[in-house]
Amino acid sequence: MKTLTSVTREAQKIMAAEKLTKGRLIQILILMAVLITAFVWRTVTYEAPSTTNTDATECVLNAKECLVEDGSGTLNISLNPFPAAANTELTLQIDNTDVKPSATVEGVDMYMGIIPISFEKSASGWVGKFIVPECMHDEMTWKISIEQDDKTVFASFTVKK
């Protein structure tokens, strides 16, 4: 029968531990210096990516609709029902265009996911339907990114509880 002392001695034989030699210490210090240098360099030279498009046009859907002037004419962007409410179907209508837009909705103050909008042709333009989730705050601002050809329009609206 083995005693605790003999088991400990056997475990020490199995787990071979190297002594910290002068060469090993220098190797560890050089590796740490390289890692710290890389971390500091990356931190100092880091620039956050720009997410705003400088060519984009912005409008605020605070009066149910907004008009956006572009080189080919005026886009009429409207949101129904107005004022917008969370967890209800919202309709985004874009008039005065023949080109099918693509659009996404995302929260401005808080990330609540990216909601795609698919459009269908209407008599005067395009109609897209979407639903925004309810936020824990009393008021939440949402941004719609509308892309058409090579143009981007940002339309924002506010949802209140």
Side-chain angles (χ1 to χ4, degrees), residues 5 34-35 37-38 40 42 50 58 61 70 73 79 81 92 104 107 131 143 148-149 159:
T5 310
V34 168
L35 291 174
T37 303
V40 169
R42 177 69 175 136
S50 175
E58 293 190 28
L61 293 166
D70 66 355
L79 184 67
L92 179 69
T104 57
I131 297 174
K143 176 180 74 173
Q148 235 179 348
D149 291 332
V159 174

Side-chain angles (χ1 to χ4, degrees), residues 107-110 112 135 138-142 157-160:
V108 173
D109 305 324
M110 178 186 296
M112 302 276 289
C135 180
D138 292 334
E139 191 172 283
M140 173 79 176
T141 303
W142 294 87
F157 65 96
T158 303
V159 174
K160 296 182 180 179

Side-chain angles (χ1 to χ4, degrees), residues 28-86:
I28 291 170
L29 292 175
I30 290 173
L31 181 61
M32 286 190 62
V34 168
L35 291 174
I36 290 171
T37 303
F39 174 77
V40 169
W41 176 80
R42 177 69 175 136
T43 303
V44 169
T45 61
Y46 177 76
E47 290 182 22
S50 175
T51 58
T52 57
N53 186 349
T54 56
D55 297 333
T57 306
E58 293 190 28
C59 73
V60 179
L61 293 166
N62 58 4
K64 189 177 177 179
E65 65 183 5
C66 65
L67 300 174
V68 176
E69 296 284 335
D70 66 355
S72 59
T74 302
L75 291 178
N76 182 10
I77 302 171
S78 60
L79 184 67
N80 289 311
F82 192 82

